[in-house]
Amino acid sequence: MSSPLTYSEDYIAGILRSVKTIAMVGASANQIRPSWFAMKYLQEKGFRIIPVNPAAKEEEILGEKVYASLADIPVPVDMVDIFRSSEAAGEIIDEVIRLKEKLCASVVWMQLTVINHEAAARAEAAGFKVVMDRCPKIEYGRLCGDIGFMGVNRRIIDNKRKPLGAGRGALSRNALGQGKGQL
Amino acid sequence: MSDYGFSTLSVHAGASPDPATGARATPIYQTTSYVFDSADHAAALFNLQTFGNIYTRIGNPTQAVLEERMAALEGGTAALAVASGHAAQMIIAHALMETGDDFVAARQLYGGSVNQFAHSFKKFGWTVHWADATDPESFRKALTPKTKAIFIESIANPGGIITDIRAVAGIAREAGIPLIVDNTLATPYLIRPFEHGADVVVHSMTKFLGGHGNSIGGVIIDGGSFNWSASRKFPTLSEPCASYHGMRLHETFGNMAFAIACRVLGLRDLGPAISPFNAFMILTGIETLPLRMARHCDNALKVAKWLKEHAAVDWVSYAGLADDPNYNRHRTYCPKGAGAVFTFGVKGGYDAGIALVDRVKLFSHLANVGDTRSLIIHPASTTHRQLSPEQLKAAGAGPEVVRLSIGIEDADDIIADLDQALRD
Ligand SMILES: Cc1ncc(COP(=O)(O)O)c(C=O)c1O
């Protein structure tokens, strides 16, 4: 239907390899929301996730303090991950652009079904790498092999034996996408 | 990986050395269940919050390699392997339709699919409206406000029609519904329907994919292209899912949501899981798919040309023949070959057809296609005998029609067998 967005493996793997701290806008303490389990999974993989949600009643989600806005975050973040509607993403991205110096972020990531081409173009013009309509949890799981259990096309060919237990939780982040066949 | 060629993917995609043993061939994981690391891990798995194995009705590591290989060969985002081609069709319909909905399907389908759609699906309250695979506009005319999908075969069994996939895909796109393509007879070696606008591809892996006539299986591949949330037509994908605490599958799984929905709802609840052994057999078959398909198609063209000149043969319907009405679509959609299943008409009608299948010595008389062995059947007296005379004609299975599935033996031997059997 809608023409699918395509990103190269190197682009996605490059982002996931370089990023360490992620501000998650629209993070939720509700355990059935995708944001909650994306946060949990990414934490297990060694990322620090800083939840941003003005409506959250909780002080903390998964052990991290919740901030009401991006401007309140006191530490540098590498990436802003947006769990909001495509329309709402526009304003959030403008704020990310305004806060570029303070946040030190270089990546704007929009979650599955979140697509805002105009805002993406503004972010790119401001020097950000942009991803739309993807989930970093799924992309990470795909690239490190976890998600192979679900019949997902990981687009990887692999001739090496993985260490035992590597399929789940134990893969080191630098194993991500070293290039063809090397994963 | 996109830069690996088709043959490389056929051998490698999805498979890596076994982490436990280093085994290079994919092991048959003959187990029903998998231990959880902790109560937390179990809960996360059941809530679809993390990736992993739970129970072989929902997924199995041998099956997962097969799924990934098929997703790679078709160029889709994810796949689900199930017990048979018919189970795959059933699960697709279950994901797309509610009671009272309908779908439009080409009239020229495998006879078993005609039965499944017309009779069994009716019991679920899903209605099929038929269209003509040779006339894309007929699909538009059959649409209703309740239509949830269009279903076609890329190469129709047994008529040998090559469908104008792009034209039908355009009609589906305008209607905001997905195009489902049964790619069984073409296999992704000949046609990759996603490249022509299909949204979901389905196969009976029982045929050329497994290729050796030893295992039944089916697969659903998600093209990742369809926006399930653009309308409220597909509540299974876009609305909160009662059996997963209100999770919305499209929002959660994005461009692989359809494959996941088919697994975690259709397969989980209807239950037609593929056995790990069958998954292994089909996976092994796929390693040689490109080699076999090239040979199947070469042999089929030789046999079709030879039959066309034979005095006892009325007509031959094979898209690889230059004067066939499907020849141009063959050049457009599958220039590497027109497949290996085709029909011809014997002079003498029904009785001559039955006589021929009795006299062959190399061909096997059976109800399958896509085996290494050459196969023959007289559809009107076997696979299609449940259909009415009008349906028979519409399906390309009239009384004089004989269907061949050409194997990978020596072409000369295949021809010699038909030659002796056509002599009276
Ligand atoms: C084109 C086509 N689709 C679907 C099927 C059904 O597949 P299965 O027999 O694996 O259920 C067949 C089987 O003959 C077929 O030829």
Side-chain angles (χ1 to χ4, degrees), chain A:
Chain A
M1 282 268 308
S2 53
S3 75
L5 293 156
T6 51
Y7 299 101
S8 75
E9 304 299 30
D10 286 350
Y11 183 71
I12 297 285
I15 288 173
L16 292 175
R17 227 183 296 132
S18 66
V19 158
K20 290 182 179 56
T21 304
I22 302 171
M24 189 178 274
V25 181
S28 170
N30 179 346
Q31 298 196 8
I32 68 142
R33 298 301 299 154
S35 62
W36 185 85
F37 50 91
M39 178 168 172
K40 186 160 189 283
Y41 179 87
L42 293 169
Q43 281 183 330
E44 280 165 13
K45 297 296 178 184
F47 294 91
R48 177 167 184 209
I49 312 293
I50 301 185
V52 177
N53 189 342
K57 290 179 215 68
E58 301 76 11
E59 302 248 299
E60 282 189 357
I61 298 175
L62 290 163
E64 288 284 354
K65 181 170 162 41
V66 184
Y67 292 94
S69 76
L70 284 167
D72 297 339
I73 301 179
V75 295
V77 302
D78 304 306
M79 173 168 120
V80 176
D81 183 17
I82 302 173
F83 273 92
R84 295 289 309 280
S85 70
S86 299
E87 303 77 62
E91 262 181 48
I92 294 161
I93 287 170
D94 288 333
E95 193 184 359
V96 175
I97 295 170
R98 273 199 307 278
L99 293 171
K100 186 164 195 252
E101 300 287 294
K102 174 170 188 282
L103 286 172
C104 305
S106 61
V107 182
V108 173
W109 188 303
M110 284 169 257
Q111 280 292 327
L112 293 171
T113 70
V114 184
I115 300 174
N116 187 327
H117 288 284
E118 297 76 29
R122 292 198 294 276
E124 270 163 359
F128 287 90
K129 288 186 179 169
V130 177
V131 177
M132 295 190 278
D133 195 25
R134 290 287 184 281
C135 172
K137 174 197 174 200
I138 291 176
E139 294 305 305
Y140 191 99
R142 188 171 70 76
L143 292 165
C144 82
D146 279 6
I147 206 173
F149 294 120
M150 298 295 265
V152 169
N153 185 4
R154 291 172 298 143
R155 301 173 198 282
I156 289 159
I157 278 183
D158 195 358
N159 65 352
K160 299 285 188 298
R161 175 176 171 182
K162 283 211 188 76
L164 271 180
R168 213 170 44 224
L171 252 199
S172 80
R173 290 188 42 220
N174 35 11
L176 261 185
Q178 299 295 343
K180 217 157 65 174
Q182 289 295 299
L183 213 113

Side-chain angles (χ1 to χ4, degrees), chain B residues 84-86 89 110 113 153 157 182 184 204 206-207 216-217 369:
Chain B
S84 67
H86 267 16
Q89 292 171 188
Y110 162 58
S113 299
E153 289 179 6
N157 173 10
D182 180 339
T184 299
S204 167
T206 314
K207 320 296 175 195
I216 302 272
V369 297

